[in-house]
Amino acid sequence: MVLAASGIILQNKKILLLKRLNYTKNYPKHWGCPGGRAEEGETAEQNVIREVKEECNLDFTPTSILKKGVWQDRYYYRFLGNWTGKIKIQELEVLDYNWFSYKEAIKLKLSFDYKEVIELLYKKQLI
């Protein structure tokens, strides 16, 4: 089974979300956290560190798992963590990015399970 992971990046009670380009077959022009499929031999932690760096140029250190599950043919992990750096989006995969409060994020067209992720973050008073 394939592995996929994403990083939940928070700042000042807001979450960083990236808008997917429309070439993606799953959820084109929808918003979500930076992440993606693991390369062969990668752990979930290595996967999320690489994907966050590739998609938005931030250095991400996973600290805990907010949510995990199975979607189609993949195990997925949603990591909370610490981050540093300056955002620079990868234009091949990402159309736009922004920081959103709970009220703003919940109204967006969200990809995958990110509506549940946003609700969980709100319940934990992280956004």
Side-chain angles (χ1 to χ4, degrees), residues 16-19 31 87 89 94-100:
L16 175 68
L17 295 174
L18 308 181
K19 189 172 191 180
W31 294 86
I87 297 170
I89 59 171
V94 181
L95 200 57
D96 197 6
Y97 76 93
N98 212 330
W99 296 94
F100 295 95

Side-chain angles (χ1 to χ4, degrees), residues 18-24 53-57 87-97:
L18 308 181
K19 189 172 191 180
R20 298 162 61 86
L21 267 177
N22 59 358
Y23 83 89
T24 55
K53 187 68 173 176
E54 282 178 8
E55 291 190 358
C56 60
N57 195 48
I87 297 170
K88 182 177 187 292
I89 59 171
Q90 180 193 56
E91 294 174 1
L92 293 172
E93 291 184 33
V94 181
L95 200 57
D96 197 6
Y97 76 93

